[in-house]
């Protein structure tokens, strides 16, 4: 499918507005929404060639759709990849990646700090099909190196992590993967291409949950993988055609519109998150704040180098508690006292969202797995939105000041 002709070396916020498939004969300025499951073919020979992959052209929306293609072109341009493949959700993107790259007997190394569903998918579901795995501390490069085996095919990192915002050295992991002949995949949901472009640091694959910041307003489910043209066409496309974890055209169109404001949203929300994190560090009811933009963060310097000098829009904090068995109750008190912030487990919305990771996003893990990941019962995650910062602080004080 031909693209809108654009000059080279455009900035990311320009690509976020203009990269798409070529306009139709109607000359629409806003990308068209193609709500169709099938496509009329010009003749039988063309239909045969297109279904056989010998000629470009749309055949069935499970295999491709112009609106979805626009999203893929735009995200690829922003991430600096040759191509992208959109999926029905972020977890569908991970499923597509694993099915496309791995077979029984292969080995995966991934961070113990990753999203709970990712840990379960790799460590439990794919284990049933003979895929082996090892979990390692996110920031311990020696642990990553020692976990690599002769059959290691994939290293998978999330940086910053959910919810403790651990940051890994993408370039160092890329070197490890390359030396092993393995791939490095990076979950870039928290940083987005506005702050961080893992492919430029040596990663092979970038994974997104478009449900988060790419959409930006909590409206739809979406996911994507960014990689080389060869990997997308020869690895991902055959699997998604048969497995069907495709993104709907409507959801693709919504995310396309979200990408147009991604740059300005990420910068504004990151600035608010930094100020909120600094404020929380000074509150007597807060034991610790986890945020890469803080100088107290263990990987602050690395984060500032990798993430364009910004810390992102997600932070977590642990409430101070006199006894360990009171931590969950005290965290629940803060959350139940909210009147403005939304008690919700998503992130990336223009509304500020707060949640209790130990009982929600990481509730499927065993207590031992949560402890290994550092997710205590007193931890609260806040995805900072665009409300006035004074109102966000005042809402958190309703609970913090009454503990």
């Amino acid at each position: 499918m031909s693209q809108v002709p654009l000059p080279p070396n455009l900035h990311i916020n320009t690509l976020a507005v203009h990269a798409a498939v070529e306009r139709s004969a109607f000359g629409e300025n806003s990308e068209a929404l193609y709500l169709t499951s099938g496509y009329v073919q010009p003749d039988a020979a063309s239909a045969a060639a297109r279904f056989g992959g010998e000629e470009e052209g749309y055949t069935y929306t499970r295999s491709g759709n112009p609106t979805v293609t626009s999203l893929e072109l735009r995200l690829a341009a922003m991430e600096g990849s040759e191509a992208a493949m959109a999926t029905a959700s972020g977890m569908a993107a991970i499923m597509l990646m694993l099915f496309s790259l791995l077979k029984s007997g292969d080995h995966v190394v991934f961070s113990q700090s990753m999203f709970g569903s990712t840990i379960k998918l790799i460590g439990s579901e794919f284990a049933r099909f003979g895929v082996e795995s090892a979990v390692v501390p996110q920031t311990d490069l020696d642990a990553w190196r020692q976990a690599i085996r002769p059959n290691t095919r994939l290293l998978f990192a999330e940086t910053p992590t959910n919810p403790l915002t651990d940051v890994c050295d993408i370039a160092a992991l890329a070197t490890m993967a390359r030396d092993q002949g393995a791939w490095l995949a990076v979950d870039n949901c928290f940083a987005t291409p506005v702050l961080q472009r893992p492919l430029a640091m040596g990663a092979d694959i970038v994974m997104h949950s478009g449900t988060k910041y790419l959409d930006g307003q909590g409206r739809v489910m979406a996911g994507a993988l960014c990689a080389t043209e060869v990997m997308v066409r020869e690895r991902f496309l055959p699997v998604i055609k048969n497995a069907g974890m495709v993104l709907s055209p409507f959801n693709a169109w919504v995310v396309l519109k979200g990408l147009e404001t991604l740059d300005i949203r990420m910068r504004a929300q990151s600035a608010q998150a930094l100020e909120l994190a600094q404020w929380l560090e000074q509150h007597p009811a807060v034991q610790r704040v986890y945020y890469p933009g803080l100088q107290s963060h263990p990987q602050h310097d690395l984060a500032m180098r990798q993430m364009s000098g910004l810390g992102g829009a997600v932070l977590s904090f642990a409430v101070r508690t006199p006894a360990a068995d009171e931590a969950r109750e005290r965290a629940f008190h803060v959350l139940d006292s909210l009147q403005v912030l939304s008690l919700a487990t998503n992130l990336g919305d223009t509304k500020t969202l707060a949640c209790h990771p130990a009982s929600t996003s990481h509730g499927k893990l065993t207590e031992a797995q949560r402890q290994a990941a550092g997710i205590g019962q007193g931890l609260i995650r806040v995805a900072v939105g665009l409300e006035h910062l004074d109102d966000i602080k005042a809402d958190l004080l309703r609970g913090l000041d009454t503990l």
Side-chain angles (χ1 to χ4, degrees):
M1 173 57 68
S2 58
Q3 306 177 33
V4 172
L6 295 173
N9 303 318
L10 293 177
H11 291 80
I12 190 170
N13 44 353
T14 304
L15 294 170
V17 173
H18 289 286
V21 299
E22 194 170 20
R23 295 180 178 90
S24 75
F26 297 108
E28 66 278 354
N29 190 45
S30 178
E31 292 75 31
L33 171 53
Y34 290 92
L35 288 178
T36 183
S37 56
Y39 306 84
V40 176
Q41 304 300 309
D43 51 66
S46 296
R50 290 175 181 180
F51 272 90
E54 301 166 0
E55 177 183 302
E56 280 196 6
Y58 293 105
T59 57
Y60 191 62
T61 282
R62 179 154 49 82
S63 302
N65 175 281
T67 309
V68 177
T69 301
S70 283
L71 171 61
E72 292 167 344
L73 290 171
R74 183 167 295 179
L75 183 58
M78 295 173 71
E79 280 287 3
S81 66
E82 293 179 358
M85 179 67 68
T87 61
S89 69
M91 292 309 302
I94 297 174
M95 177 76 79
L96 173 61
M97 177 179 69
L98 298 177
F99 264 126
S100 301
L101 302 181
L102 303 176
K103 64 183 184 305
S104 179
D106 286 344
H107 181 247
V108 181
V109 183
F110 64 101
S111 165
Q112 67 186 15
S113 303
M114 297 191 83
F115 178 51
S117 293
T118 303
I119 293 173
K120 293 291 287 186
L121 180 63
I122 299 174
S124 297
E125 306 306 332
F126 268 81
R128 296 190 293 117
F129 300 99
V131 174
E132 304 170 357
S133 62
V135 294
V136 295
Q138 166 87 354
T139 61
D140 189 341
L141 290 176
D142 286 337
W144 285 88
R145 191 174 293 108
Q146 292 169 13
I148 293 175
R149 304 176 187 170
N151 62 331
T152 298
R153 295 292 174 264
L154 178 68
L155 276 61
F156 190 15
E158 174 184 320
T159 183
T161 59
N162 179 18
L164 296 180
T165 69
D166 290 335
V167 176
C168 70
D169 190 327
I170 296 173
L173 291 181
T175 298
M176 280 187 215
R178 187 165 53 250
D179 291 345
Q180 168 60 23
W183 296 287
L184 171 64
V186 175
D187 182 334
N188 201 27
C189 291
F190 271 37
T192 81
V194 170
L195 304 187
Q196 177 174 276
R197 302 176 85 187
L199 296 175
M201 298 176 233
D204 300 288
I205 305 163
V206 170
M207 191 284 294
H208 276 286
S209 172
T211 313
K212 311 301 191 296
Y213 290 103
L214 303 190
D215 168 23
Q217 296 185 54
R219 298 169 292 193
V220 297
M221 304 289 287
L225 297 171
C226 300
T228 64
E229 180 75 27
V230 170
M231 180 173 285
V232 169
R233 295 303 164 195
E234 297 184 4
R235 295 275 188 165
F236 300 156
L237 183 58
V239 174
I240 203 170
K241 281 183 176 180
N242 295 320
M245 61 277 273
V246 296
L247 182 61
S248 75
F250 177 78
N251 287 7
W253 184 84
V254 172
V255 178
L256 265 173
K257 298 296 100 180
L259 286 177
E260 293 179 357
T261 60
L262 179 62
D263 185 90
I264 193 168
R265 283 188 285 106
M266 284 304 300
R267 296 184 187 282
Q269 288 171 260
S270 295
Q272 294 229 113
L274 174 59
E275 189 171 342
L276 183 64
Q278 293 170 333
W279 174 80
L280 283 168
E281 273 197 317
Q282 305 305 314
H283 196 283
V286 174
Q287 181 178 7
R288 181 178 176 182
V289 181
Y290 302 84
Y291 181 67
L294 292 174
Q295 293 187 356
S296 59
H297 191 282
Q299 297 93 47
H300 172 72
D301 291 341
L302 173 63
M304 293 300 97
R305 293 197 303 272
Q306 285 190 171
M307 297 172 61
S308 306
L310 296 173
V314 178
L315 60 88
S316 293
F317 66 93
V319 296
R320 193 176 301 279
T321 178
D325 59 359
E326 297 179 18
R328 183 185 179 106
E329 178 184 354
R330 291 169 73 83
F332 276 21
H333 170 77
V334 174
L335 292 169
D336 290 343
S337 300
L338 298 174
Q339 297 178 16
V340 178
L341 277 58
S342 301
L343 180 54
T345 58
N346 191 28
L347 59 94
D349 205 311
T350 53
K351 300 177 176 68
T352 298
L353 312 178
C355 71
H356 182 251
S359 62
T360 57
S361 59
H362 292 69
K364 298 176 184 177
L365 304 182
T366 65
E367 185 59 30
Q369 287 175 315
R370 282 193 293 270
Q371 289 179 4
I375 300 169
Q377 293 293 333
L379 188 72
I380 294 173
R381 191 194 72 192
V382 180
V384 183
L386 292 175
E387 302 95 337
H388 195 286
L389 191 58
D390 289 347
D391 295 329
I392 298 174
K393 293 177 181 178
D395 210 36
L396 288 169
L397 285 178
R398 299 181 212 282
L400 290 174
D401 283 354
T402 54
L403 282 173

